[in-house]
Amino acid sequence: MNQSDLQIDASGKLKHFLTIEGLSVDTLEALLADAQDIYDKRQHIKPTSTPCQGQTIANLFFETSTRTRTSFELAAKRLGATVLNLMPSDLSIKKGESLADTLRTLEAMGCNGYVVRHSDNYALENLAEIAAPTTHLINAGAGTRAHPTQALLDVMTIRQSKPNLAEQKIVIVGDVLHSRVANSLITLLQKLGVGELHLVGPDHLLPEVRHQSGIHYSNNLVKSLPEADIIITLRIQFERMKSATMPNKTDYFKQYGLTKHKLEIANPNAIVMHPGPMNRNVEIADDVADGPQSVILQQIQNGVAMRMAILKKLLT
Ligand code: NCD
């Protein structure tokens, strides 16, 4: 089944939220608009209605998470849903139960929303094939392939400072190869029409195929920074690498770490982003992460509003 068939039901309604690829620009723009509206009304902090009352949402995180899991929990609670936080170490998967049987078990108890993070690139698509008609699956990070809710909250954050995407030069620097954040974000930026998109990093951390149209690839951050409006730093995904390819942290910081000095090369009003968790003074210097051009905490705030918009769209 293709991505769009998996995500949209026969009546055209969004059923699962799995990847950016399978969604139309109209659906993506509607989610961005709704999240901004929630944010403007401060409903992500102090909700005024509970549209998901009576719904039960399970958080199933097979990889660690601070902001994504917490923001999904807060989003669900602020919409009035009941939330189950299921730790893999407590689940019968440890006894050999399959993920599919875990889903069927929770469905039998009336759970209808599932926020899933898994190391398998296709874990969610596999679940979508066997899910009950009343089940809604949301991708909270799948392998190195997709992290679509992060992509949306990143674009929401960009637009709050730089409303016209088509005029922006965006530099994404770091471990692009292993980054599901970069994968989904690149797809979303290209769908919505970005000005210039530059992917920067050491050779072995850039995508193997480098001829996607509209994308510039470089090993030189300093040369890529002039006139940049948005700089997105990525975590080195040490857990997804073989030891032979792991960069030396000090050398990496020298070449690719975003310091104050390097930031001065970009546009004076450039914004700096990082999806978190940050390795300070490896990918980004302390004074840049905490400096006036950083919108990293704004990304986190927007995460709650964006996840409220997505849950509302699927579950009401
Ligand atoms: C990212 C993830 O887990 O994919 N974090 C996040 O969700 N905000 C990025 C990372 O782990 O580097």
Side-chain angles (χ1 to χ4, degrees):
M1 237 193 261
N2 75 30
Q3 277 299 326
S4 168
D5 291 344
L6 269 181
Q7 297 190 80
I8 312 290
D9 72 12
S11 67
K13 195 178 176 304
L14 186 63
K15 178 170 164 56
H16 303 302
F17 187 85
L18 308 183
T19 59
I20 297 293
E21 283 85 346
L23 301 177
S24 67
V25 170
D26 283 353
T27 300
L28 296 163
E29 288 288 9
L31 288 169
L32 283 159
D34 193 34
Q36 189 57 48
D37 187 53
I38 290 169
Y39 181 89
D40 291 340
K41 294 181 177 146
R42 312 302 289 160
Q43 287 174 343
H44 62 301
I45 293 171
K46 218 169 178 230
T48 48
S49 68
T50 50
C52 289
Q53 201 152 20
Q55 319 265 9
T56 305
I57 298 172
N59 274 329
L60 275 164
F61 278 63
F62 295 90
E63 287 187 354
T64 57
S65 170
T66 302
R67 59 224 94 215
T68 306
R69 201 198 56 71
T70 312
S71 63
F72 265 115
E73 179 174 354
L74 287 173
K77 285 183 171 163
R78 285 172 185 165
L79 293 167
T82 300
V83 182
L84 296 177
N85 283 310
L86 301 166
M87 297 300 149
S89 53
D90 300 336
L91 293 174
S92 292
I93 285 179
K94 278 211 115 179
K95 297 182 182 169
E97 184 169 72
S98 69
L99 188 52
D101 279 335
T102 303
L103 178 70
R104 291 186 187 108
T105 304
L106 295 166
E107 284 176 341
M109 288 188 268
C111 255
N112 57 331
Y114 299 83
V115 179
V116 183
R117 170 171 286 193
H118 204 282
S119 58
D120 182 337
N121 281 352
Y122 294 93
L124 279 107
E125 280 77 2
N126 294 337
L127 288 177
E129 302 272 4
I130 58 111
T134 49
T135 283
H136 302 283
L137 297 165
I138 298 142
N139 185 349
T144 56
R145 178 171 159 251
H147 195 350
T149 66
Q150 180 74 39
L152 276 171
L153 77 88
D154 286 344
V155 166
M156 178 181 173
T157 309
I158 291 171
R159 282 189 173 164
Q160 287 168 344
S161 304
K162 317 270 177 195
N164 190 349
L165 266 187
E167 287 173 1
Q168 310 306 321
K169 172 176 174 180
I170 302 188
V171 173
I172 302 181
V173 54
D175 183 3
V176 182
L177 178 67
H178 300 102
S179 175
R180 56 193 175 205
V181 172
N183 253 342
S184 289
L185 182 58
I186 292 164
T187 307
L188 181 58
L189 289 171
Q190 291 205 306
K191 269 195 159 194
L192 300 180
V194 66
E196 266 185 57
L197 186 53
H198 295 249
L199 304 183
V200 183
D203 239 3
H204 66 286
L205 297 184
L206 286 179
E208 276 141 32
V209 181
R210 290 180 209 161
H211 46 65
Q212 220 178 312
S213 80
I215 300 185
H216 306 262
Y217 301 87
S218 167
N219 303 130
N220 191 319
L221 179 58
V222 168
K223 279 196 183 156
S224 303
L225 283 175
E227 295 187 13
D229 302 295
I230 296 131
I231 305 149
I232 301 170
T233 52
L234 298 173
R235 186 175 69 85
I236 307 176
Q237 311 265 308
F238 287 106
E239 73 278 22
R240 302 192 203 280
M241 285 177 200
K242 295 181 190 80
S243 54
T245 57
M246 277 191 200
N248 170 289
K249 288 182 184 174
T250 313
D251 293 346
Y252 182 88
F253 185 61
K254 243 185 236 156
Q255 283 198 62
Y256 299 104
L258 190 61
T259 57
K260 237 177 157 173
H261 188 63
K262 289 193 199 110
L263 184 54
E264 278 166 12
I265 306 168
N267 263 345
N269 60 355
I271 56 168
V272 175
M273 300 170 63
H274 193 303
M278 286 185 273
N279 289 306
R280 284 170 177 266
N281 304 312
V282 178
E283 299 122 23
I284 185 164
D286 281 330
D287 53 1
V288 174
D290 305 327
Q293 287 167 267
S294 166
V295 292
I296 294 169
L297 294 176
Q298 187 64 29
Q299 288 175 271
I300 296 170
Q301 275 210 29
N302 289 336
V304 180
M306 181 47 76
R307 283 154 185 149
M308 283 173 80
I310 292 166
L311 291 175
K312 215 165 71 172
K313 177 102 179 160
L314 287 170
L315 292 160
T316 61

